[in-house]
Each structure stands twice: as C-alpha cells, then as structure tokens.
Amino acid sequence: MSTPSTSSRPVAPEQGGPALPRPTAQQQRILDRIALQRERLRARRAARAQAQALTESQRAAAGGAEDSFALRAAGFAREHPLAVAAIAGVAVVAGPRRLIRWAGVLLPMLLRLRR
C-alpha cells in the first residue's frame, strides 16, 4: 500500500502562480507587526546612514579638528614649514636641558587645556 506524501507547501492551482491560503486574523496581525518592524528597521538604517554622512561632511568641513595630535602636527608642519624650522632652530640653540625643563612646565598646562 502506498500512501500519498504530504508536503508542507499548499497545492498550487493549475492556472496562474502558486496560491497561498488566506491568513487567519491572528496570522494577519503577526504579518502586520512584521511589516511594521521591517519598516522601522529600514527607517533606522536610513537615519543612521544620513547621520554618518552628515558627520563625515562636518568632519571634512572642520579641517580635521577631530584628528589625533600627531596628524594635526604633521598637517601644521606641511602648511607652515618656516614656522617649524624656526621652532626647531630655537630648540637647538636652547639645548636639551632647557627643553626638558620647559617641557616639564608647559606639558601639564597643555594637558589641562585639552580637557
């Protein structure tokens, strides 16, 4: 004896595409909630992408104010080579002892200003 196998898919009618059974009221509520959640997720993704684009454009307009100190120092050196040469000349003339002494005085003040 052979028994017909049952599949989990609904039987498709002979004409047109596969027909799905009409959902019950409870199933429809769940489908509606899923649709709302998908829409919220799409809106959240779009808002996040827009916020990231705005942040990037502001960062570019600020000229790298959010960059690290080393990157800003390198940018300053590229833009003002004469000023960097003058500072280096003063450092050579002052000598290492004076530089270390002044660094001990100025470094804490600079660190306080950064906060």
Side-chain angles (χ1 to χ4, degrees):
M1 284 205 205
S2 73
T3 57
S5 65
T6 59
S7 69
S8 60
R9 279 194 245 164
V11 179
E14 294 174 17
Q15 69 226 33
L20 298 174
R22 293 198 53 90
T24 64
Q26 184 180 10
Q27 290 172 336
Q28 187 60 46
R29 283 195 306 270
I30 291 172
L31 291 173
D32 290 342
R33 280 197 332 229
I34 291 171
L36 282 173
Q37 185 176 19
R38 286 180 178 165
E39 184 59 35
R40 280 195 309 267
L41 290 173
R42 276 190 213 101
R44 185 184 298 168
R45 264 187 243 116
R48 185 175 52 191
Q50 185 179 14
Q52 285 176 343
L54 181 62
T55 302
E56 288 297 322
S57 67
Q58 287 176 348
R59 184 175 290 154
E66 305 254 338
D67 291 338
S68 70
F69 179 74
L71 289 175
R72 287 188 285 160
F76 180 82
R78 236 180 282 119
E79 292 176 13
H80 307 287
L82 292 178
V84 173
I87 291 170
V90 169
V92 168
V93 170
R97 279 190 178 174
R98 278 196 185 138
L99 288 178
I100 292 172
R101 193 176 332 141
W102 277 103
V105 171
L106 293 176
L107 191 59
M109 288 193 295
L110 289 173
L111 291 176
R112 266 189 244 125
L113 287 175
R114 287 191 69 186
R115 289 186 214 164

